[in-house]
Amino acid sequence: MSNKRPLIGVTPWYDYDKQLTFIKKGYCEGVNKAGGLGVLLPMCTQPELMENMVQSCDGFLISGGPDVDPKYFNEMNLPFNQDISPYRDTLEIFITRRAIELNKPLFGICRGIQIMNVAMGGSLYQDIHSQINDRKLIKHSQAAPRWYPTHKINVKKDSILSKLLKATSIEVNSFHHQAIKDTAPGFEISSLSEDGIIESIEYKNHKFALGVQWHPELMWEANSVFLSLFEGLVQSCK
């Protein structure tokens, strides 16, 4: 019996000043704890190398990070848009589209859910507090310990997310100023925050393509229920 673990490619962070590729704690560790082998992908934008990554990995985790360049959803870069990462946009949009096309498991966290949506034709609010004026928003960039849940989400019954969490309501942490505006074709919304912000999406008729707006990689050590998201990714690769 083989004990080979599924290989999960984790997309990297990149410091342009220091030319440094890195990842924060919780991503690879969550994959490993869930029974996979999390590997940090190299930062590159050459199509041949990106395709080799897609073919070599069993699944992918699109990590959190800076804003998505609004040119990918046909908008100008507005004043409240913050740091963007051209290398990451190129790499992660490529991986998302190919993973969807090849039915390879895909899990996006924070920026990751936004990249997944944009890659498949959706759009974002460049800043929710500047652009959403029809309702009162809760605080989405918390001033609390990073593992601590600060708001509730309501989860769609019978969604992949509800089956993993075994709940239709749960409290999560929050560190974002952008969010999904128009959902891309093929995606369904599977959870909303109390103020109506999209907190997760799932791609229909796919082995496993889940994006969440919060940061389970910061929560799973304090609350093991969030490890189930990483377990869902790993199990779908087997």
Side-chain angles (χ1 to χ4, degrees):
M1 179 178 177
S2 173
N3 59 359
K4 182 182 178 182
R5 291 178 170 224
L7 189 67
I8 308 297
V10 180
T11 61
W13 291 41
Y14 189 74
D15 186 314
Y16 288 85
D17 293 329
K18 298 179 181 178
Q19 298 184 41
L20 179 67
T21 301
F22 65 103
I23 194 65
K24 292 187 175 181
K25 181 184 177 184
Y27 293 104
C28 292
E29 294 86 350
V31 170
N32 296 343
K33 182 73 172 178
L37 178 59
V39 294
L40 185 63
L41 296 173
M43 180 57 74
C44 71
T45 57
Q46 297 98 315
E48 180 186 358
L49 295 179
M50 293 190 293
E51 181 63 25
N52 266 270
M53 293 184 207
V54 171
Q55 296 297 334
S56 299
C57 294
D58 299 304
F60 301 92
L61 197 167
I62 310 295
S63 62
D67 292 351
V68 181
D69 190 335
K71 76 177 185 180
Y72 288 105
F73 48 97
N74 301 313
E75 289 188 9
M76 295 183 294
N77 200 332
L78 299 176
F80 35 74
N81 202 44
Q82 298 178 10
D83 293 344
I84 60 175
S85 178
Y87 294 166
R88 287 196 62 179
D89 287 344
T90 300
L91 174 65
E92 293 172 342
I93 288 172
F94 183 95
I95 287 174
T96 295
R97 288 173 176 168
R98 290 294 286 140
I100 294 292
E101 183 179 1
L102 297 173
N103 199 25
K104 287 201 170 189
L106 182 67
F107 179 33
I109 292 177
C110 196
R111 168 188 163 87
I113 184 180
Q114 297 166 10
I115 278 284
M116 289 169 65
N117 189 58
V118 169
M120 302 308 293
S123 65
L124 305 177
Y125 292 107
Q126 292 190 45
D127 183 79
I128 54 175
H129 292 284
S130 301
Q131 294 182 297
I132 297 177
N133 302 307
D134 61 347
R135 59 191 185 273
K136 186 176 181 179
L137 297 183
I138 60 175
K139 188 176 179 68
H140 285 276
S141 296
Q142 70 187 53
R146 298 181 72 79
W147 51 266
Y148 185 73
T150 58
H151 74 77
K152 186 174 74 172
I153 64 170
N154 296 308
V155 183
K156 183 180 177 181
K157 186 179 179 182
D158 295 326
S159 62
I160 292 172
L161 184 62
S162 70
K163 292 173 183 176
L164 293 173
L165 296 175
K166 295 182 173 58
T168 55
S169 178
I170 197 167
E171 291 188 330
V172 300
N173 60 0
S174 194
F175 299 96
H176 66 103
H177 79 107
Q178 299 196 324
I180 290 175
K181 181 166 61 177
D182 300 310
T183 310
F187 277 112
E188 291 183 340
I189 298 167
S190 56
S191 70
L192 297 169
S193 59
E194 296 166 284
D195 56 1
I197 295 295
I198 295 172
E199 290 283 341
S200 66
I201 56 174
E202 302 173 7
Y203 202 78
K204 294 177 286 186
N205 302 318
H206 193 277
K207 186 182 294 184
F208 185 93
L210 170 68
V212 301
Q213 186 57 71
W214 71 95
H215 283 269
E217 85 282 1
L218 299 173
M219 302 187 76
W220 64 262
E221 287 187 288
N223 186 346
S224 61
V225 70
F226 292 103
L227 187 64
S228 68
L229 306 184
F230 296 88
E231 291 170 340
L233 170 65
V234 171
Q235 288 298 318
S236 65
C237 293
K238 294 181 177 179

